[in-house]
């Protein structure tokens, strides 16, 4: 069984459980998570190594040096004892760093594009001042030349990657998938009508539109609650907006929650609403993994025709789609689903079937293993 390195600058971020889930379901390969920092704990039984484990008192200097220079030596030396046969980087920003490690170890490089890495405008990346983003701009042409395989989490992301010059012959759409065995449909749900929203509180997620649309629900749905899971730079603004609209008792900001708690909330919710929009920076939704989790929980989703969402939600079958910033459309869609339990159940069943057939993580990881075999 070959060892493969799964690379991400920040390991085990709460908002990115899909990375380690994918790795854990790969058969025929032994994944080793590798990166610069740890933002959470590794799943039980998963091997992981990070620069922060060995840098000690020199961590800050090592972090800065790696971020600015993409120096591959430290990461490569950590991996040498494991004789890894391939390195798989998540996000293009990380891939330009992994590219140097792959070259030093003489192994193939697989890169997965998730969204902002091929949607954010160049000027906004420069203005961010982040060394990793600037390095990505400087070296993505080299990545396009040397990378053996480029995976895109949706057809929308594939089209954006092509527009950036990544080679079509070495590019494939590969949906990440979710663990449908760990997510189940409950026998009953909460008596309180709950609209759930899960995501970072940033412009792209469209939470401001959702709060306004929720405020416009007809009087017969005044007992409904909007539960918002996640944190981010817009939280204060969104909380103030809720208070100004008289929703302080009906809108609940829960902050970031572990994945198991998110799944519990989905089993209580009536529907999920993810009205993502294209941010002024150009950043757009690559796919929307939370839409699949909601589908596996048997609830319909309301989303926007934005980015890769149209590949996750089938309008009129597994949920409803509206235009970006269509507040009236969001209100109407929420009202229609709240008014009809039969429609919600029918859409929920269809959503669950579709996830099982097309987005199960075991099936998707089996396909990924075949890609790996072609390279090693």
């Amino acid at each position: 069984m070959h060892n493969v390195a799964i690379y991400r600058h920040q390991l085990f971020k709460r908002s990115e459980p899909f990375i380690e889930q994918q790795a854990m379901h790969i058969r025929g390969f032994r994944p080793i998570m590798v990166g610069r920092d740890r933002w959470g704990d590794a799943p039980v039984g998963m091997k992981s190594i990070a620069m922060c484990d060995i840098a000690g008192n020199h961590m800050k200097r090592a972090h800065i040096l790696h971020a600015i220079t993409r120096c591959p030596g430290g990461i490569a030396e950590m991996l040498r004892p494991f004789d890894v046969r391939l390195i798989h980087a998540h996000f293009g920003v990380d891939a330009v760093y992994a590219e140097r490690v792959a070259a030093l170890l003489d192994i193939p490089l697989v890169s997965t594009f998730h969204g902002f890495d091929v949607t954010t405008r160049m000027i906004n990346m420069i203005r961010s001042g982040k060394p990793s983003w600037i390095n990505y701009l400087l070296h993505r042409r080299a990545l396009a030349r040397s990378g053996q395989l480029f995976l895109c989490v949706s057809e929308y992301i594939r089209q954006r990657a092509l527009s950036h010059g990544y080679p079509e012959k070495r590019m494939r759409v590969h949906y990440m998938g979710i663990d449908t065995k760990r997510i189940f449909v409950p026998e009953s749900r909460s008596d309180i009508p709950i609209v759930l929203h899960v995501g970072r509180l940033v412009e792209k997620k469209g939470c401001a539109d959702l709060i306004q649309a929720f405020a416009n629900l007809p009087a017969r749905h005044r007992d409904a609650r909007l539960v918002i899971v996640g944190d981010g730079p817009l939280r204060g603004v969104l909380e103030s907006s809720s208070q100004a609209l008289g929703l302080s008792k009906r809108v609940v900001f829960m902050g970031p929650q572990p994945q198991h708690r998110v799944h519990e909330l989905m089993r209580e919710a009536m529907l999920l609403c993810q009205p993502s929009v294209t941010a002024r920076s150009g950043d757009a939704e690559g796919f929307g993994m939370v839409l699949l989790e909601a589908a596996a929980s048997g609830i319909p989703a309301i989303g926007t025709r934005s980015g890769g969402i149209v590949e996750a939600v089938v309008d009129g079958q597994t949920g409803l789609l509206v235009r970006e910033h269509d507040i009236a459309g969001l209100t109407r869609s929420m009202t229609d689903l709240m008014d009809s339990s039969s429609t919600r159940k029918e859409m929920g069943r269809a959503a669950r079937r579709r996830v099982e057939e097309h987005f199960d993580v075991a099936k998707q990881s089996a396909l990924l293993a075949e890609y790996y075999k072609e390279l090693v």
Side-chain angles (χ1 to χ4, degrees):
M1 184 179 294
H2 296 310
N3 289 331
V4 296
I6 311 298
Y7 185 84
R8 179 74 172 108
H9 287 329
Q10 301 94 13
L11 295 174
F12 312 119
K13 295 178 74 172
R14 182 172 285 181
S15 60
E16 298 172 359
F18 48 84
I19 294 178
E20 56 258 35
Q21 283 183 12
Q22 181 187 76
M24 291 171 66
H25 283 84
I26 297 173
R27 298 293 176 260
F29 293 88
R30 185 181 297 107
I32 300 172
M33 305 295 292
V34 60
R36 185 190 295 154
D37 306 309
R38 293 181 183 274
W39 284 41
D41 297 326
V44 176
M46 173 168 274
K47 178 66 178 178
S48 64
I49 51 178
M51 288 178 60
C52 63
D53 298 336
I54 60 174
N57 295 332
H58 302 290
M59 180 57 204
K60 185 175 182 179
R61 185 173 63 184
H63 185 291
I64 294 173
L65 181 64
H66 183 256
I68 293 175
T69 68
R70 297 187 303 138
C71 177
I75 300 291
E77 290 308 308
M78 289 192 298
L79 288 174
R80 282 192 191 280
F82 299 99
D83 188 30
V84 295
R85 303 296 297 277
L86 174 149
I87 185 166
H88 181 174
H90 284 273
F91 295 91
V93 171
D94 300 61
V96 296
Y97 289 75
E99 184 268 336
R100 295 197 67 191
V101 178
L104 195 59
L105 296 178
D106 193 24
I107 56 177
L109 170 66
V110 177
S111 307
T112 291
F113 298 121
H114 288 270
F116 81 88
D117 39 9
V118 290
T119 61
T120 303
R121 295 187 183 94
M122 182 183 299
I123 186 62
N124 291 93
M125 284 197 160
I126 294 172
R127 286 173 177 168
S128 74
K130 297 178 181 179
S132 59
W133 286 27
I134 294 171
N135 265 323
Y136 175 57
L137 294 177
L138 292 173
H139 302 289
R140 62 185 179 187
R141 287 187 179 180
L143 173 65
R145 289 193 300 269
S146 62
Q148 279 74 22
L149 178 63
F150 300 96
L151 301 177
C152 303
V153 298
S154 65
E155 175 59 27
Y156 168 75
I157 291 301
R158 189 183 82 91
Q159 293 297 328
R160 296 304 301 263
L162 287 172
S163 72
H164 283 291
Y166 290 100
E168 184 172 12
K169 291 183 179 180
R170 285 177 275 144
M171 187 182 301
R172 294 172 180 169
V173 173
H174 181 73
Y175 298 111
M176 294 290 292
I178 60 168
D179 191 347
T180 57
K181 293 182 179 178
R182 294 181 58 189
I183 304 175
F184 61 89
V185 179
E187 295 182 359
S188 62
R189 297 189 185 274
S190 171
D191 293 332
I192 301 174
I194 295 174
V195 175
L196 182 64
H197 175 79
V198 181
R200 274 189 38 83
L201 301 183
V202 294
E203 181 187 3
K204 178 176 74 172
K205 296 300 181 179
C207 194
D209 291 343
L210 173 56
I211 291 172
Q212 181 63 63
F214 185 80
N216 295 340
L217 286 173
R220 64 181 180 275
H221 293 307
R222 293 303 184 192
D223 60 338
R225 297 290 181 269
L226 173 58
V227 176
I228 298 172
V229 176
D231 207 348
L234 295 183
R235 179 167 178 171
V237 173
L238 295 171
E239 289 179 331
S240 296
S241 174
S242 297
Q243 293 170 2
L245 291 167
L247 299 173
S248 56
K249 294 183 179 180
R250 297 178 56 209
V251 177
V252 180
F253 288 84
M254 295 192 66
Q257 298 293 319
Q259 192 177 38
H260 70 86
R261 179 57 181 143
V262 173
H263 294 165
E264 289 175 356
L265 291 168
M266 287 180 175
R267 291 193 290 271
E268 298 171 5
M270 178 178 282
L271 60 93
L272 178 87
C273 195
Q274 296 292 121
S276 299
V277 299
T278 302
R280 284 166 290 184
S281 67
D283 189 13
E285 198 73 71
F287 185 70
M289 296 298 293
V290 69
L291 295 165
L292 300 186
E293 294 177 316
S297 302
I299 57 174
I302 297 172
T304 47
R305 296 184 182 91
S306 178
I309 289 178
V310 296
E311 297 171 59
V313 178
V314 181
D315 188 27
Q317 296 182 27
T318 67
L320 298 173
L321 296 176
V322 301
R323 302 185 313 275
E324 290 189 17
H325 297 299
D326 183 359
I327 293 174
L330 286 173
T331 301
R332 185 169 56 252
S333 296
M334 284 190 285
T335 302
D336 289 346
L337 288 180
M338 287 180 179
D339 284 343
S340 178
S341 61
S342 61
T343 299
R344 294 197 306 273
K345 290 178 181 178
E346 183 180 348
M347 285 186 171
R349 287 192 293 265
R352 174 73 193 195
R353 286 195 302 270
R354 186 166 182 263
V355 166
E356 290 176 337
E357 292 173 5
H358 301 290
F359 302 108
D360 179 76
V361 70
K363 294 179 181 178
Q364 292 305 107
S365 293
L367 180 59
L368 180 61
E370 293 301 315
Y371 296 158
Y372 284 0
K373 289 175 184 177
E374 293 175 8
L375 295 176
V376 302

